Amino acid sequence: MVKIRWLGHAAFIIKIKGKTIVVDPWISGNPACPIKSNELEKVDHVVVTHDHGDHLGDGIEIAKRDKAKFIAIYELALKAKDEGVENTFGANIGGWFEVDEIKYLLTPALHSSMIGEPVGVIISDGEKSIYHAGDTGIFEEMELLGKMYRIDVALLPIGGVYTMGPYEAAIATFMLMPRVVIPMHYNTFPAIKQDPNLFKKYVNKIAPKIEVKILKPGEEVEL
């Protein structure tokens, strides 16, 4: 069983194959997050898509607290190591790599960053796969990702301004063809105010067989 819990913005807790993974753990200062950083359960892996504060967030502190493996683009992993994280795994965009029997694949993301390249990530236990797109605009290779890797759940930004908006994210959903799509990265602050039901409306029209799950911060889905 795989569990995915949204902590608001782009932060998720994913429980898969006996491991607890936190992705883009912006908790402190995140107005949408339902918990405080000291309330976060013990995690095994910290995955960060890029170094902007609303994604790196508390990642380095959590990794040090729990002696968790910090997984990110190579240069960002070096930064984490320099800041005292004992267990880091730096990778780049390419093929699968394995950490504690969990498979990871870093994907392109159309965005910016100060250290290394921004990425998305596919996380798999060999049976089910979750794609966290990170911060990104739509890009043509999403269709290839959907064809190459059977994606069960796609976590896609819909906020606009810094990422895809609802329409672009709906087209991306059609390209990826996951079983389930969960919108993220919206309504955290005024610039990215969006109605997730508009995204759902677009998906229902473009790709009606794909289930759209709109979560409230703190809510969880099971696969």
Side-chain angles (χ1 to χ4, degrees), residues 25-189:
W26 181 36
I27 297 173
S28 301
N30 177 359
C33 187
I35 64 171
K36 296 179 180 178
S37 59
N38 61 2
E39 296 172 330
L40 179 70
E41 62 192 285
K42 187 178 187 300
V43 303
D44 300 291
H45 297 173
V46 176
V47 180
V48 178
T49 62
H50 63 292
D51 68 347
H52 289 170
D54 59 332
H55 292 260
L56 174 57
D58 304 271
I60 289 174
E61 290 75 18
I62 293 167
K64 289 196 287 189
R65 182 196 74 180
D66 294 345
K67 299 189 182 304
K69 292 184 172 68
F70 183 96
I71 300 165
I73 197 77
Y74 179 75
E75 293 82 0
L76 185 53
L78 286 181
K79 170 185 167 66
K81 190 174 186 67
D82 287 344
E83 294 193 16
V85 177
E86 292 181 16
N87 301 304
T88 62
F89 197 107
N92 219 307
I93 297 166
W96 292 104
F97 58 93
E98 196 168 294
V99 181
D100 297 331
E101 299 184 348
I102 305 297
K103 295 173 66 180
Y104 290 94
L105 186 143
L106 300 187
T107 68
L110 291 183
H111 196 57
S112 61
S113 60
M114 293 173 283
I115 300 173
E117 295 294 321
V119 297
V121 62
I122 300 176
I123 302 169
S124 176
D125 62 358
E127 295 182 3
K128 292 185 171 64
S129 296
I130 301 105
Y131 170 50
H132 187 298
D135 274 4
T136 189
I138 191 170
F139 55 93
E140 195 171 7
E141 289 86 349
M142 285 180 170
E143 185 172 0
L144 187 59
L145 292 176
K147 289 179 177 177
M148 290 178 66
Y149 313 110
R150 182 179 59 81
I151 295 170
D152 292 283
V153 181
L155 313 174
L156 300 183
I158 68 164
V161 184
Y162 309 106
T163 70
M164 299 182 287
Y167 175 69
E168 294 81 12
I171 298 296
T173 301
F174 175 75
M175 296 166 75
L176 291 160
M177 292 303 292
R179 286 173 45 209
V180 177
V181 62
I182 299 172
M184 65 170 182
H185 205 279
Y186 67 95
N187 289 356
T188 320
F189 38 83

